[in-house]
Amino acid sequence: MNDLRIILDASKRIVFFGGAGVSTASGIPDFRSENGRKGCDGLTPEMILSKSFFYLETERFFDYYRTHMLYPDAKPNAVHRFLYELEKQDRLRGIVTQNVDGLHRMAGNIRVYELHGNVHENYCEECNASYPMEYILHAEGIPRCECGGVIKPNVVLYGEPLPKYVCIGARREITNADTLIVAGTSLAVEPAASFLEDFRGRNLVIINREETGADSRATLVIHEDVEHVFRELEDAEKS
């Protein structure tokens, strides 16, 4: 923890690259741990949350999506709060997140690159009208727009490409960072994990409970729960 504080204090262009482990303390399960999201009817979450399943089995998609992807009571935790403070100091240049829960924006951060979209944004496939998460949550069956079109969540489903301009912005910030913090991700999901290849800065920090493929080239590796680490940082700032 002392080494992490020294790195943070010396850094002027920090970028945070986060995965599902960032939000588990807010009550949002991940996909890969023992207590993570499970599939149903013999299908994996990846199969259900795919582009093809959305269009072929739309009602079944939304049955699963409402139960396993929408957490309206989730609130930012110590990770989100600490990153907001870093951005206010103008030392955090960007958050690149694989999460779709919107908690970074809820915490107040502006420089957020949501690689897989955001469950709070939904749009009609016919007229492009927008709808909040609550509309999807409380709709019965397939949520439909006033025009009759199907309302699709603005999340990247398996089989869909990542948003082009979000990726451009995220890779630009990673390239220009002096410190890159990778937290709460196994770095198993491509193409997002390949973004680390753009980093040319001084310090690569990995914070994750399990080993990752980037541990061997990191400046600092902390095998610990992400929220626990940032809660310690938050408490140290207050003392």
Side-chain angles (χ1 to χ4, degrees):
M1 289 301 300
N2 187 55
D3 291 341
L4 177 57
R5 291 190 192 97
I6 291 172
I7 289 173
L8 290 176
D9 289 343
S11 302
K12 296 181 179 179
R13 296 188 66 89
I14 302 168
V15 170
F16 181 88
F17 185 100
V22 171
S23 296
T24 51
S26 294
I28 300 176
D30 58 24
F31 278 99
R32 302 181 184 279
S33 71
E34 184 178 344
N35 298 318
R37 294 184 178 97
K38 301 295 189 290
C40 65
D41 299 329
L43 301 173
T44 66
E46 289 84 357
M47 292 175 180
I48 300 170
L49 297 171
S50 66
K51 178 181 178 180
S52 58
F53 197 85
F54 175 82
Y55 287 108
L56 293 173
E57 297 282 356
T58 309
E59 188 163 357
R60 291 175 67 194
F61 170 90
F62 277 107
D63 287 344
Y64 183 88
Y65 181 82
R66 290 188 187 95
T67 303
H68 296 279
M69 295 297 291
L70 301 182
Y71 293 85
D73 298 325
K75 298 292 187 292
N77 59 51
V79 185
H80 307 97
R81 294 192 299 267
F82 188 84
L83 293 175
Y84 173 60
E85 294 300 322
L86 274 183
E87 187 174 292
K88 285 201 300 184
Q89 299 167 19
D90 201 32
R91 293 195 294 129
L92 181 71
R93 306 306 299 175
I95 295 172
V96 181
T97 179
Q98 301 175 82
N99 299 334
V100 298
D101 49 52
L103 291 180
H104 287 295
R105 295 191 184 278
M106 192 182 299
N109 283 99
I110 297 173
R111 301 165 180 164
V112 183
Y113 299 90
E114 295 167 320
L115 298 180
H116 297 153
N118 188 323
V119 296
H120 295 275
E121 301 171 354
N122 307 272
Y123 64 91
C124 172
E125 293 201 294
E126 296 296 329
C127 70
N128 210 40
S130 61
Y131 289 84
M133 178 180 71
E134 287 72 20
Y135 188 90
I136 304 295
L137 193 62
H138 299 299
E140 294 185 6
I142 301 172
R144 292 190 178 275
C145 176
E146 292 181 357
C147 77
V150 175
I151 299 171
K152 185 178 185 294
N154 188 27
V155 298
V156 177
L157 302 176
Y158 289 93
E160 292 183 324
L162 299 186
K164 177 180 177 181
Y165 292 106
V166 173
C167 291
I168 290 173
R171 302 192 86 134
R172 180 186 65 241
E173 296 299 348
I174 290 173
T175 300
N176 293 329
D178 57 13
T179 293
L180 176 62
I181 302 172
V182 179
T185 174
S186 60
L187 296 175
V189 178
E190 294 290 357
S194 65
F195 285 23
L196 269 66
E197 302 301 323
D198 295 330
F199 180 61
R200 299 291 184 270
R202 186 182 307 110
N203 298 301
L204 173 61
V205 178
I206 307 289
I207 307 171
N208 198 53
R209 284 179 296 185
E210 293 82 28
E211 293 183 3
T212 77
D215 286 9
S216 60
R217 56 192 179 95
T219 310
L220 176 66
V221 177
I222 302 176
H223 287 151
E224 180 61 86
D225 178 78
V226 181
E227 199 267 348
H228 176 75
V229 171
F230 278 82
R231 197 174 343 113
E232 283 197 32
L233 289 172
E234 188 179 47
D235 291 342
E237 288 290 320
K238 294 176 181 177
S239 61

